[in-house]
Amino acid sequence: MGVTEAAHIPRQHGEPLLDSAVRYAEERHWDVFPGTWLEAVDGRERCSCGDTACASPGVHPFREDWAAQATGSPAAARRLWGKHPRASVLLPTGRTFDALDVPESAGFLALARMERMDLALGPVACGPDRRMVFFVLPGAAAKVAGLIRKLGWSPSGIDLVAKGEGGYVAAPPTRVGGQGAVQWVRRPTHANRWLPDAEELISPLAYACGRDAAAARGR
């Protein structure tokens, strides 16, 4: 790995959330916005939203107008996290990228096939909830269902979720509940600055998700 490339890879451990948010805005030109965070209450970690039964502790917007708050300005990102330094780093989809969200097991299977096929990939993230997210060009959410049908699969029969306008994903090093942190499987670098189209990745992803679904039915 060259020095230039290494300098543009967000560190996954030990880097403050503020620095990561600023890097995403500055180096990738991604919009970012702060989410909730984890607080220690009676020896347990709970979401800052105050809901003891929060379904996404530490990884959801804390403002209803989050879409308007999201910014691609490094200076604005620095101000936002300066006010809330423990806030999770959330990235809105449907702007500079969409996201293809699949089970971790299917994601690693698909990733191995993609690498054998020598496909050009964008960043890929994996969360402690055992979900993997592939970053693709915007517009994927509108056409993924049709692409899956063309391959002979039922969109409702496989666990492949496309996130576009109105959605968001958590970025490293955001922590999810008490489970751990989101990490990069394939980190953002200059080499993957140009994102693939969903059509380029959908075949191996749908196949892997189909196998995953079949295995689950067979248990």
Side-chain angles (χ1 to χ4, degrees), residues 137-157:
L137 288 173
K143 60 185 179 183
V144 159
L147 293 172
I148 291 173
R149 291 190 190 95
K150 284 183 180 179
L151 292 169
W153 301 93
S154 166
S156 61

Side-chain angles (χ1 to χ4, degrees), residues 148-173:
I148 291 173
R149 291 190 190 95
K150 284 183 180 179
L151 292 169
W153 301 93
S154 166
S156 61
I158 60 175
D159 189 1
L160 194 165
V161 180
K163 296 183 177 182
E165 186 175 358
Y168 59 87
V169 296

